[in-house]
Amino acid sequence: MTADRNDETTAPAAETRPDPIRTWAPAFALAIAFLWLFHGTIANMADRWSDPTFSHGWIVAPAAVVIAWFRRDTWVGVPFRPATGWGLAIILFGLISMVAATVVAVMFWPCLSMMIVIGGMIVYLAGWQWMRLLAFPYAFLYFMVPWPDFLVETISFPMQLSTSAYATLLGSMVGIPVVRDGVNLHIGPPVNASFEVAVACSGMHSLVALLCLGAGFAYFTPAAMWKRWTLFLLGLPMALAANIFRVFLILCVANWISPQLAAKAFHDWSSPVLFLINTLGLLTIRNMMLREPKAAPAVASRPVEDDDAF
């Protein structure tokens, strides 16, 4: 006789799911520590963004998020492989540089230290693969860092001189009695008006904003690398040319219509209009770069005639 034997059934093993608290606790802790350490730096950056030269800083971070979202097909589903050692090293380097900048009272360096810490946080929480995938959105964040004053003065003063010189040349060509004295422009009788090409009128605002815009256009341009760099660097000559034309138009309005209109309404409204024109110019250049060259039409081969044939 064989004894009946109950079949032993084994219950399926329960699936192990990651604990959300353990998964996201380091990220929350780092975020809180980051805000506590850099809230003063963020406030100083926001204060500098009130300067028209760096007013684009308000939209840089949202734009970086949008850029990353548009390329989400490259990072959706990529696993997190934290590189804690490298991440901590980068974060520590950023914190040390912030302390050093505070000691020597370098105003803009804490902003760069904050950006270094952000990069270290990405490596620490997600790993190098995510850092590579988010390299451009992360680098784009550097556009919200205001430039130091010495760099602004170094770049803006030659732009002031060039703008005043070429605007005077164009004004003289159309018969405006304009005399240049450094960055000051004087229109003679019967108008008798004077204008100063200040730092705000040097084209720095357009230059920084166009470089930021050109970087975004270049990133989304599927072309050769040299074309993308060209698109990015075109911001400099375009900003200078647009500002020269703007000051020339101010001279025209002041000489032929009204100096008050030129100094107030036209001065204020011409800048955003020319920036829009520059933006359209960058888009046009981008479209030209993407245009495929037309293939030469194939020439039908002509049969060789046989001289002996009748």
Side-chain angles (χ1 to χ4, degrees):
M1 295 178 64
T2 58
D4 293 336
R5 186 175 57 182
N6 295 329
D7 293 333
E8 296 181 357
T9 58
T10 57
E15 295 182 358
T16 58
R17 297 182 180 179
D19 186 359
I21 296 179
R22 292 184 178 180
T23 302
W24 294 105
F28 284 121
L30 276 177
I32 293 173
F34 176 83
L35 293 176
W36 180 74
L37 285 171
F38 291 102
H39 68 278
T41 302
I42 297 173
N44 291 335
M45 287 176 59
D47 184 63
R48 288 294 305 276
W49 293 341
S50 60
D51 185 344
T53 304
F54 305 109
S55 59
H56 64 281
W58 292 102
I59 65 171
V60 169
V65 174
V66 171
I67 290 172
W69 179 252
F70 270 107
R71 289 299 177 90
R72 62 188 181 277
D73 56 327
T74 61
W75 51 263
V76 168
V78 176
F80 290 167
R81 293 188 176 92
T84 54
W86 281 105
L88 286 175
I90 297 172
I91 292 173
L92 183 61
F93 175 74
L95 295 178
I96 293 174
S97 65
M98 184 187 70
V99 173
T102 304
V103 171
V104 299
V106 179
M107 298 301 295
F108 80 98
W109 189 258
C111 302
L112 295 179
S113 301
M114 182 183 70
M115 302 304 304
I116 295 172
V117 170
I118 291 175
M121 291 170 61
I122 296 174
V123 175
Y124 177 84
L125 294 172
W128 286 109
Q129 186 176 6
W130 273 86
M131 189 61 184
R132 286 192 295 270
L133 294 173
L134 299 177
F136 181 82
Y138 166 70
F140 193 80
L141 290 175
Y142 281 83
F143 280 110
M144 69 181 180
V145 176
W147 295 5
D149 293 335
F150 76 88
L151 182 59
V152 173
E153 294 174 1
T154 302
I155 298 177
S156 64
F157 186 66
M159 294 180 68
Q160 289 174 265
L161 293 176
S162 300
T163 299
S164 58
Y166 286 106
T168 301
L169 176 62
L170 293 175
S172 301
M173 292 175 63
V174 297
I176 299 176
V178 57
V179 178
R180 171 176 171 260
D181 181 15
V183 297
N184 298 305
L185 305 179
H186 307 281
I187 301 179
V191 177
N192 293 324
S194 298
F195 301 93
E196 179 188 2
V197 182
V199 175
C201 302
S202 65
M204 275 296 299
H205 180 204
S206 299
L207 170 62
V208 179
L210 282 174
L211 287 176
C212 181
L213 197 63
F217 286 168
Y219 180 67
F220 286 104
T221 301
M225 187 57 67
W226 70 269
K227 292 184 178 180
R228 301 166 83 174
W229 275 102
T230 301
L231 189 62
F232 168 66
L233 295 174
L234 276 175
L236 176 59
M238 291 180 68
L240 182 59
N243 202 57
I244 292 172
F245 187 66
R246 174 175 174 245
V247 175
F248 165 67
L249 291 179
I250 290 175
L251 293 176
C252 293
V253 173
N255 185 70
W256 292 323
I257 302 177
S258 168
Q260 292 75 20
L261 176 65
K264 297 294 183 180
F266 190 84
H267 174 274
D268 296 339
W269 285 99
S270 58
S271 181
V273 170
L274 286 178
F275 181 76
L276 176 61
I277 294 175
N278 276 333
T279 303
L280 296 176
L282 281 176
L283 282 173
T284 302
I285 295 173
R286 177 183 181 274
N287 292 334
M288 292 174 62
M289 289 180 174
L290 294 176
R291 189 176 301 168
E292 294 290 340
K294 295 182 179 180
V299 180
S301 59
R302 186 178 178 181
V304 180
E305 294 181 0
D306 190 357
D307 294 336
D308 296 335
F310 289 96

